[in-house]
Amino acid sequence: MTQAPTRIPAAIPAGIHERLRLIGRVIDPEATSPLYNMLHRPELPPAAARDVAYGPDARHKLDVFTPAAAPVDDAEGEPLPRPVFVFVHGGGFVGGNKCTPGSPYYDNVMVWASESGLVGVNVTYRLAPDHPWPVAQQDLQAALRWVRENIAEHGGDPERVILVGHSAGAAHVAQYLAHPEFHDIPGGGVAGAILLSGLFDPATCEPTPRLEAYFGTDTHLYAERSALPGLAALDLPLLIAIAEWDPEDFHRQSGLLYEHITGHGGSHAWFYQLDGHNHLSEVYAVGTADEALEALLGSFVRGVVGE
C-alpha cells in the first residue's frame, strides 16, 4: 500500500483489545462475536418494518428502521424527510444476512442510524455460488429502486441516500456504483457511499474459492469487473475504511482503490483505519461505548447529506 490511511483510535475495552490482537488477521466470527454480544443492550428497538420484499426471491428482503423522535417541520409545518442509510451486509459472497435471531448484528447498525436521525434500510441479497456476478449488483439496483419509490412513506428522503457496504457487501456496493449499466438513474440513486473492509479489484485480489464463487473462474474477465475505473470516474463522495487487523488483502485493496481515485485526479474519497479492530469487530462495536466507527460514519453522513 503506497497511500497510508488516516488512523482512528478506538475505545476498545482492554481485555477485548488483547483478544482481538490474539485473533489477529483471521476472519473468525465465532471468536469475535462473543466479545461484543454482552456490550449491547439486552433488547434493541424493533424495526418499523421487517422483511419487506423488494423483489421476487426469498432473499429479496429489507428491514426499515425509523427514528423515534418526531421530525423537524419546514416553514409550512410539514415534516422534513430524513436522510437514508442503506446497509449491505457481508458474508464472503456465499453467506451472511441482514440480521440473525438472537444476535444484535446487524440491527445494531440500523439502531445507530435511526437514533442518529436517519431512516435505516438493511438489505439482504442472493448469494454465490448459485447466484454469481452480477446478481448482487442487480439486487442492489432493485433494492435502491424500492427505496426511491417507497422510502418517503417511512419519512425518508430518496434524494439523500447513503449506501454502505461491509466486507463482501462493500465489494457489491463498489461494483454496483462502478458499473453504470446497473443504474436506473445517474449516479445509481445515491448521494454518497461508505466502503468498509472491501475487495474492489478481482484481478489483483488474492485468489480464493469464495472470490471465484462470485466472480467466476475465468480470470480473463476480472479486469472488466473491476470497480476501480468506474469509481474513479464517478464523482461521488466515498468513505473507505479498514480495520487494523483486517487480512492484508483488504488493506491492499482499499489502498489500491484510494490510490486509483486520487491518482486520476479525484478528490472525492477519504481513507481511514480503525486501530485495534478486526474485520468483524469494527461493525460489531457499533452501538457500544466504542464509538470510533460511529463518529466516522456520522461525520461523513452529515458532510454529504446534512442532518
Side-chain angles (χ1 to χ4, degrees), residues 24-275:
R25 299 190 184 279
V26 177
I27 301 175
D28 189 344
E30 292 185 1
T32 307
S33 177
L35 301 178
Y36 281 88
N37 288 346
M38 298 304 293
L39 299 182
H40 288 276
R41 286 173 272 180
E43 292 188 15
L44 294 178
R50 182 78 76 178
D51 290 328
V52 179
Y54 68 84
D57 192 84
R59 286 186 62 89
H60 286 154
K61 293 292 191 295
L62 57 82
D63 300 335
V64 181
F65 285 70
T66 56
V72 176
D73 291 342
D74 63 16
E76 284 74 39
E78 295 295 325
L80 290 170
R82 304 176 189 268
V84 183
F85 190 88
V86 179
F87 183 75
V88 185
H89 66 82
F93 302 105
V94 299
N97 212 326
K98 57 185 172 58
C99 63
T100 303
S103 161
Y105 319 117
Y106 294 102
D107 279 3
N108 65 312
V109 178
M110 293 290 96
V111 170
W112 168 80
S114 63
E115 293 183 347
S116 300
L118 312 172
V119 174
V121 178
N122 204 358
V123 177
T124 197
Y125 50 88
R126 290 173 288 177
L127 301 172
D130 292 338
H131 301 285
W133 164 274
V135 169
Q137 283 63 52
Q138 295 166 344
D139 288 354
L140 289 184
Q141 179 184 33
L144 288 166
R145 184 182 303 136
W146 183 95
V147 168
R148 191 164 59 254
E149 295 173 353
N150 297 279
I151 205 63
E153 298 174 14
H154 298 276
D157 186 348
E159 301 298 322
R160 293 192 292 163
V161 175
I162 300 293
L163 182 59
V164 188
H166 173 244
S167 192
H172 290 322
V173 166
Q175 301 295 337
Y176 164 77
L177 292 173
H179 292 85
E181 62 266 30
F182 304 119
H183 301 174
D184 287 339
I185 59 177
V190 305
I194 300 170
L195 306 173
L196 304 173
S197 298
L199 301 171
F200 310 113
D201 181 36
T204 57
C205 281
E206 178 183 332
T208 67
R210 291 186 174 201
L211 188 79
E212 290 185 353
Y214 187 68
F215 288 103
T217 57
D218 186 353
T219 57
H220 293 94
L221 299 175
Y222 281 9
E224 66 187 55
R225 294 175 181 174
S226 172
L228 302 189
L231 288 180
L234 187 66
D235 187 17
L236 186 78
L238 291 176
L239 171 61
I240 305 164
I242 53 175
E244 178 180 3
W245 294 109
D246 260 323
E248 286 289 353
D249 206 28
F250 291 88
H251 281 249
R252 284 192 294 268
Q253 286 283 303
S254 294
L256 182 64
L257 173 59
Y258 182 69
E259 181 180 47
H260 195 83
I261 292 172
T262 57
H264 284 77
S267 59
H268 55 281
W270 296 265
F271 186 25
Y272 295 92
Q273 174 179 297
L274 293 164
D275 283 354

